[in-house]
Amino acid sequence: MTPIPVSQQKMDALRERMETAITRVGRLVRIMEVCGTHTVAASRSGLRSLLPKQVKLISGPGCPVCVTSQAYIDAVVDLARGGKVTIATYGDMIRVPGKRGSLEQARAMGASVRVMTSAMDALKLARAEPHTQVVFAAVGFETTTPPTADVLIRAERDGVANLFVMTAHKLVVPAMLALLASGEVQLDGFLCPGHVSVIIGANAYRPVVEQYRKPCVVAGFEAAQMLAGLTEIVEQTADGRAELGNVYGAAVRGEGNAAAQRLFDEVFEVGDADWRSIGVIPGSGLVLNAKYRKFDAAERFGVQFGPDNATPGCKCGEVIRGLQDPYDCPLFGKACTPQRPIGPCMVSSEGSCQAYYKYHRFRPDPK
Amino acid sequence: MCLAIPGRIDTLTNDQAEVVIGTNRYDVCTVLTPEVQVGDWVLVHAGYSITRLDEQDARETYALIQQVLTEPPQASQA
Ligand code: SF4
């Protein structure tokens, strides 16, 4: 593992502040890192093992592939197998097992499935092959949504009639509020995602701070940044404060990225979204508005959504709700590995199961 | 999937840029950061620049990026 070359002094100073604060709290502090990239960065940098034993980091519902409902996965696989369209998708999606196999398996049996690194590639494909019906599997949080919107605006402007999207775009803050409303998981605060916050702005977390009195601190992905964010949350907990913080001022402003937000508003409206194992959370997703509905692949190709039945035995649902650790899944590291993943939390490079498997496969001493 | 990586804008025509990240060049759409100019550092996510960055901030996160780029092949690109 390559260490991140932040100044040792800075890390030491932060650890000292953290130690002082956690001593003042005098109990276990449970902090959710909402973002899958934070989950991976915390594991890869060794940050998890640097934290005092009384600070527990809990992974949240912030891995886009992991929270995509099984019903959506099955529907995209069925659409691919139907043979009428080419599915364009981000890489991790193709290995998620569905009821009738994964997209990768569908491709092996002749379906047309292309991996893209940008929504723009799906538009380029549609332009280059006007007789191909291209369906972009549009998953992801607010960082990933503006590109989808931009591509549809271009397609509308230029009359591109063979590009469609299966939208499953989700919103982070409603999911955080839903987790708190469910009362299932006990949390002291949230480490808020860095790059989602570039778009939505730090102020977007105000409802969490105000309605539930939970500290929310936005952080980037370096170990020192994450430690600074966590320290701020523990200090607030010690003081009995709940405030909005932002230690990623280099990239994140209070109001977010206005140009990106304008693109959302042009193409999408807030709607309900189906989350793996959580179910439908009202107002937690983005759906195409009336002007752009003609790009809706589900409508155009009569896609049927089945039940959200997870693979038997897979605990991804509990993992993304912060109720269980990957270690609690009996299949973890045995039947389920990154080579032969059973659930999306092991498929995705941002999934908790894959991060734990790669960086700390064995449960540490009990905390 | 929400990871964004800093890079420097090398060429820019309308809202299409070539951005240098490490030793590679990428086509990047700048529609989300209309204020950027050649030479600026930006955070790039899924083929789009999502914000401008200070050169110093960008360079500070550079170590992290290198690490991300040397991840095993199945790491997410999006
Ligand atoms: S280890 Fe595999 S089966 Fe268990 S919860 Fe994680 S992804 Fe699901």
Side-chain angles (χ1 to χ4, degrees):
Chain A
M1 193 188 317
T2 334
I4 295 177
V6 286
S7 98
Q8 191 57 46
Q9 256 177 335
K10 192 171 166 192
M11 286 301 273
D12 288 347
L14 281 167
R15 284 180 65 185
E16 231 180 272
R17 262 178 63 193
M18 172 67 101
E19 290 287 351
T20 312
I22 195 70
T23 311
R24 282 204 290 137
V25 180
R27 62 167 172 84
L28 186 70
V29 172
R30 297 162 56 88
I31 302 173
M32 179 171 276
E33 92 274 6
V34 181
C35 169
T37 311
H38 273 155
T39 303
V40 176
S43 292
R44 184 166 47 207
S45 65
L47 178 69
R48 270 179 223 282
S49 45
L50 281 183
L51 294 174
K53 283 205 184 314
Q54 304 92 316
V55 177
K56 179 153 173 65
L57 261 186
I58 297 166
S59 302
C63 153
V65 173
C66 307
V67 299
T68 300
S69 72
Q70 196 62 45
Y72 177 94
I73 304 279
D74 290 340
V76 176
V77 171
D78 286 349
L79 193 54
R81 288 166 52 119
K84 292 199 185 76
V85 306
T86 290
I87 302 287
T89 177
Y90 291 125
D92 279 350
M93 287 290 287
I94 71 164
R95 297 182 67 228
V96 180
K99 227 182 292 154
R100 285 165 291 279
S102 63
L103 281 173
E104 195 173 44
Q105 288 162 337
R107 182 170 66 184
M109 293 186 318
S112 178
V113 178
R114 309 259 192 107
V115 170
M116 311 267 142
T117 55
S118 171
M120 191 64 98
D121 295 339
L123 176 63
K124 285 183 184 158
L125 177 64
R127 289 192 206 270
E129 300 183 14
H131 300 297
T132 303
Q133 308 288 305
V134 178
V135 173
F136 179 56
V139 301
F141 291 106
E142 289 94 329
T143 335
T144 312
T145 313
T148 306
D150 175 59
V151 156
L152 292 183
I153 290 168
R154 288 170 202 264
E156 164 75 2
R157 184 193 64 200
D158 301 343
V160 177
N162 60 324
L163 176 68
F164 302 90
V165 291
M166 280 273 284
T167 48
H169 281 305
K170 291 186 170 59
L171 303 169
V172 167
V173 176
M176 292 164 67
L177 292 169
L179 277 185
L180 291 170
S182 79
E184 281 182 329
V185 57
Q186 293 306 312
L187 295 173
D188 292 289
F190 290 96
L191 190 71
C192 297
H195 294 144
V196 161
S197 305
V198 168
I199 305 293
I200 66 176
N203 294 341
Y205 303 99
R206 282 211 186 283
V208 180
V209 175
E210 285 162 11
Q211 290 170 33
Y212 289 92
R213 292 201 39 78
K214 300 293 178 195
C216 284
V217 179
V218 177
F221 298 97
E222 286 167 294
Q225 278 241 346
M226 295 180 63
L227 184 56
L230 295 170
T231 303
E232 207 181 305
I233 293 168
V234 176
E235 285 177 344
Q236 288 193 33
T237 308
D239 297 345
R241 287 181 289 130
E243 289 164 13
L244 185 62
N246 176 12
V247 296
Y248 196 28
V252 175
R253 285 178 289 273
E255 70 283 8
N257 179 329
Q261 292 165 12
R262 269 197 302 278
L263 291 189
F264 280 10
D265 292 346
E266 164 70 17
V267 173
F268 292 106
E269 60 196 25
V270 172
D272 299 345
D274 194 7
W275 298 64
R276 174 177 295 268
S277 101
I278 300 176
V280 172
I281 304 177
S284 69
L286 291 170
V287 295
L288 296 167
N289 65 21
K291 182 173 172 195
Y292 284 88
R293 203 152 293 152
K294 60 178 174 237
F295 292 101
D296 186 347
E299 233 164 72
R300 171 69 176 71
F301 299 105
V303 173
Q304 300 293 327
F305 291 92
D308 189 20
N309 286 340
T311 313
C314 173
K315 301 277 182 208
C316 270
E318 285 73 11
V319 171
I320 61 182
R321 283 180 289 158
L323 304 180
Q324 295 198 332
D325 281 336
Y327 305 122
D328 297 325
C329 173
L331 306 182
F332 176 78
K334 300 190 179 84
C336 183
T337 63
Q339 289 70 40
R340 294 181 63 91
I342 288 177
C345 303
M346 189 64 89
V347 171
S348 171
S349 54
E350 293 177 317
S352 304
C353 296
Q354 191 186 113
Y356 278 57
Y357 185 88
K358 271 163 74 184
Y359 301 106
H360 23 87
R361 194 167 309 172
F362 302 102
R363 195 193 285 270
D365 298 339
K367 288 197 174 183
Chain B
M1 184 173 281
C2 292
L3 186 64
I5 307 175
R8 195 178 41 78
I9 297 184
D10 194 44
T11 67
L12 180 63
T13 315
N14 301 320
D15 57 14
Q16 302 298 314
E18 253 188 23
V19 171
V20 179
I21 299 177
T23 53
N24 296 314
R25 307 172 75 81
Y26 296 87
D27 289 333
V28 169
C29 176
T30 63
V31 69
L32 307 177
T33 55
E35 72 281 10
V36 294
Q37 295 174 353
V38 169
D40 282 352
W41 284 80
V42 286
L43 270 180
V44 177
H45 168 74
Y48 284 72
S49 52
I50 60 169
T51 189
R52 214 176 74 83
L53 280 184
D54 260 19
E55 175 161 357
Q56 200 195 333
D57 291 325
R59 288 192 188 279
E60 263 175 32
T61 51
Y62 206 74
L64 175 72
I65 310 142
Q66 292 299 59
Q67 201 181 13
V68 170
L69 292 179
T70 52
E71 267 295 276
Q74 58 171 346
S76 164
Q77 67 288 79

